Each structure stands twice: as structure tokens, then as C-alpha cells.
Amino acid sequence: MSEKLKPETPKLPTGFARRMVDWQRQHGRQSLPWQNTRDPYRVWLSEIMLQQTQVSTVLDYYPRFLQRFADVAALAAAPQDDVLGLWSGLGYYSRARNLHRCAQEVVARFGGAFPSTAEQLVTLPGIGRSTAAAIAAFCFHERSAILDGNVKRVLTRVLGYGEDLALSASERSLWALAEQLLPPDAADMPAYTQSLMDLGATVCLPRKVQCDGCPVASLCQARQEAKPLAYPVKTRKLKRSSATLWLLWAVNAQGQVWLHKRPARGVWAGLFSLPVFDDEAALLASCADVRSPRYIAPWKHVLTHRDLHLHPVHVQIHQAPGCEGQWVDAQDWPQLGLPAPIRLLLDGQKG
């Protein structure tokens, strides 16, 4: 019986890093507010915000965060509710909770100074291997590879790397290749790291490629094969689930809204929300004096792994409803950490 052949290791393209660095310095993004700084607090904050979030959205939140929390000590000292309130609308709220915990650990473990190596950075809450490498490369010129979604796409296309990234062994192999592609000069690390981000964000896109504007087009195996969209290969699909949530939008005569803080685990963990019920009967049973409830047109709110079918019911009541929560004044709730669909409701953009 013949032994099964191992996948062939892709040949590393000569001059890849040099081309990427030169392209970034001439054509890459240069004026984003978190660029041109070696302050790890600012770089870390931007890296966390940019996870699963478009640059255009982060451009709005980033300066507000810095204005409120000028440094890691200020962030560490803030109440978590203040952090979640400022984060409200960015989504993926576990990032905000980890951001707060990370700041506290930087203060407690490292005296308020971010560690200078990816090996130490990755021990902090919310900082994965790629984020740790990005901070170390930008701020401390460490030769450490990043491998976020954009970079996986760029590298698998350039290398013609067709192994299934749903398998951990394949991803480990790609990490090893990414390390081998790093520029030899540590001073080039910020530009090189940024070049991978820029190329994946502006040229080598998921469903469209602009090979004419790519500095490594002549090195790209996927282009030579005329099938760039075949990469990266990942067979495992996300398993989606769905849930139906009935939302009690209770308002009293003073215009206050009844809100409660969600549990530390589960959907909208740690955020303030309208009370959530499994069905209409349970919602109505929580309001002893409800009259003429107004049913808001339901809609679907899409999360990464789950679809939420939301059914809000607006009621005017005099007594507090029979569920956990508190009355919150109209001028106070906008500052709270609220899930995006709840904010839309209260802002009058739904209903």
C-alpha cells in the first residue's frame, strides 16, 4: 500500500516583503488616526475596534473613546457600564468587556505599560495571536506575523495555498509560511504589517480582485491559475440558529422607560435592554395595568451565528412591571450600553 502523499509546501515568492513595504509607503493608507503612532494603547484600541467592524464605523467611535479614556489607566478605572455605553452600536460586545478587563490587567500586571512582545501581549484578555503580533510590529518593530481574515485571503492567493483552513493543521501551516515571509529588517515591520491590511481591505477583496493595482500580482499563484476567488479554502460553514424574543417597551407617565441589565452570559450579555420574554403571554402577564398594547412590526436582527426575530410591544403603564429592571429617564438611557436594535426602538427608528 502506497503512503499518502503530503500536500506540497508552497514555494515562497522572492521579494514579496520588499514589494509590499514599498507599495504601502507609496500607495497604502497613511492618514488613519491610529497610524503614525507607536503608542500601544492607541494601536491596541484600534485593533480591537476593527475586529469585525468597518474602518468607516471605527472612525466615528475611536476619537470619542480617546476623549473619554485618554490612556489605559483611565479606561481601567472606569465602570464597565461606562465602557459599554460608549461602545454601544459597535456590536460584538464581548470585545468591550475584554477591552475593559485587558486595561485592568495591563495596570495590575504591567504597571500600566503594555508589554513589548507578542508572546506577552497574547496573555491579555481579548488579544489573540494576530492582534498581539500587530501591536508588537507597529509599536515595537517585532518581527511577528499577523493572520486575520484579510491577510489569510492575501497570502492564500499569493501562495496558491489550497489547504482547508477549517482544519487547525492547515492554519498552523499558513502561520508558519506567514512567519517565513516577514521582511528581514525589523524597521520595515510597521509598513509591512500595514501593507497586508491595506491590500486585503482595498485591492484583494473577498468577491472582487483588482490585480492591476496589486504590487505582488506577478508573484500571485492564484492569478496565474486564473482563479483568485477560489482562495482561501474553508469548508466548515457557520451553523446558524434563530430565536424569537418578545420585548416589553414599557413607558410611564413621566416618560421613563423600564430597562434591566442582561445577565453576564447569553445574548446582549451585560448590556441594558428592554425586558425579554419567550412569548407574548408572558410579556403581557408582567404588566398588571396594561391597556391597549401597541404591537410594533416585528423584524429580524442578524448576529454572526444567530438570527433574532424581535417582537416589541409598547405599553403605557403606571406601576412598575413585574420583572427585573428600573425606570430610566429619557435623558439618561442614551448614555447606557444598549444593543443596537433596542437603541433603534428607543430612538424612534423602529415602530
Side-chain angles (χ1 to χ4, degrees):
M1 182 181 295
S2 61
E3 184 180 352
K4 184 178 180 181
L5 293 176
K6 294 183 179 179
E8 183 179 347
T9 302
K11 182 180 178 181
L12 297 179
T14 303
F16 174 80
R18 184 74 265 153
R19 291 195 193 190
M20 293 292 286
V21 169
D22 291 344
W23 173 82
Q24 201 285 323
R25 288 175 175 161
Q26 187 173 358
H27 300 290
R29 297 177 293 187
Q30 309 287 344
S31 58
L32 295 174
W34 46 84
Q35 292 180 309
N36 307 309
T37 178
R38 295 185 65 177
D39 180 357
Y41 173 68
R42 289 170 179 256
V43 172
W44 162 71
L45 179 61
S46 70
E47 288 294 318
I48 301 302
M49 285 188 168
L50 287 165
Q51 293 170 3
Q52 307 291 328
T53 305
Q54 294 182 343
V55 168
S56 57
T57 302
V58 174
L59 286 172
D60 186 38
Y61 281 81
Y62 182 76
R64 295 209 304 264
F65 247 81
L66 288 178
Q67 184 177 12
R68 175 66 177 82
F69 310 117
D71 53 34
V72 70
L75 178 57
Q80 186 186 82
D81 285 344
D82 288 3
V83 179
L84 290 172
L86 207 55
W87 193 273
S88 185
L90 265 178
Y92 301 96
Y93 289 92
S94 62
R95 293 182 298 168
R97 291 188 291 272
N98 283 330
L99 190 85
H100 192 227
R101 287 177 53 222
C102 181
Q104 292 174 331
E105 287 204 19
V106 168
V107 170
R109 291 171 53 196
F110 299 101
F114 277 83
S116 60
T117 67
E119 184 179 11
Q120 289 179 304
L121 285 163
V122 81
T123 67
L124 291 165
I127 298 184
R129 181 176 176 180
S130 189
T131 300
I135 298 169
F138 284 130
C139 301
F140 308 109
H141 293 189
E142 180 175 282
R143 293 182 67 255
S144 190
I146 64 169
L147 201 64
D148 63 12
N150 280 347
V151 178
K152 289 176 184 177
R153 184 167 63 254
V154 169
L155 295 187
T156 55
R157 288 174 177 175
V158 169
L159 298 171
Y161 186 82
E163 299 306 309
D164 186 359
L165 293 184
L167 304 175
S168 57
S170 300
E171 184 150 323
R172 284 196 301 271
S173 296
L174 188 59
W175 270 111
L177 293 167
E179 295 283 353
Q180 294 175 55
L181 287 169
L182 293 174
D185 188 348
D188 285 333
M189 280 305 301
Y192 176 75
T193 303
Q194 188 65 53
S195 74
L196 290 170
M197 295 177 174
D198 289 353
L199 198 69
T202 63
V203 176
C204 195
L205 303 173
R207 297 176 183 85
K208 182 181 179 182
V209 291
Q210 301 172 27
C211 296
D212 290 344
C214 177
V216 292
S218 63
L219 305 177
C220 182
Q221 292 297 311
R223 184 170 186 248
Q224 291 181 25
E225 297 167 4
K227 54 176 186 180
L229 300 187
Y231 300 92
V233 175
K234 190 168 186 179
T235 58
R236 187 182 302 141
K237 303 295 184 183
L238 289 176
K239 292 184 177 180
R240 299 196 62 77
S241 61
S242 64
T244 298
L245 308 181
W246 286 79
L247 306 173
L248 174 64
W249 184 2
V251 179
N252 64 15
Q254 291 74 44
Q256 297 173 312
V257 63
W258 186 261
L259 297 175
H260 83 113
K261 193 170 185 181
R262 297 284 298 164
R265 293 185 179 275
V267 66
W268 301 333
L271 300 180
F272 284 88
S273 170
L274 299 177
V276 175
F277 296 87
D278 291 333
D279 53 50
E280 177 188 5
L283 181 151
L284 295 176
S286 71
C287 302
D289 62 342
V290 63
R291 295 180 181 178
S292 303
R294 180 166 66 92
Y295 290 81
I296 310 298
W299 80 95
K300 181 172 73 173
H301 181 66
V302 178
L303 302 177
T304 305
H305 304 285
R306 175 185 268 190
D307 294 330
L308 301 180
H309 299 274
L310 306 179
H311 294 257
V313 181
H314 184 276
V315 298
Q316 289 279 350
I317 56 178
H318 301 288
Q319 301 176 23
C323 55
E324 292 185 6
Q326 64 192 70
W327 291 116
V328 179
D329 292 335
Q331 68 268 24
D332 292 336
W333 65 254
Q335 281 71 53
L336 297 177
L338 298 169
I342 303 301
R343 188 173 293 276
L344 288 174
L345 269 176
L346 298 183
D347 276 339
Q349 297 180 48
K350 289 283 186 182

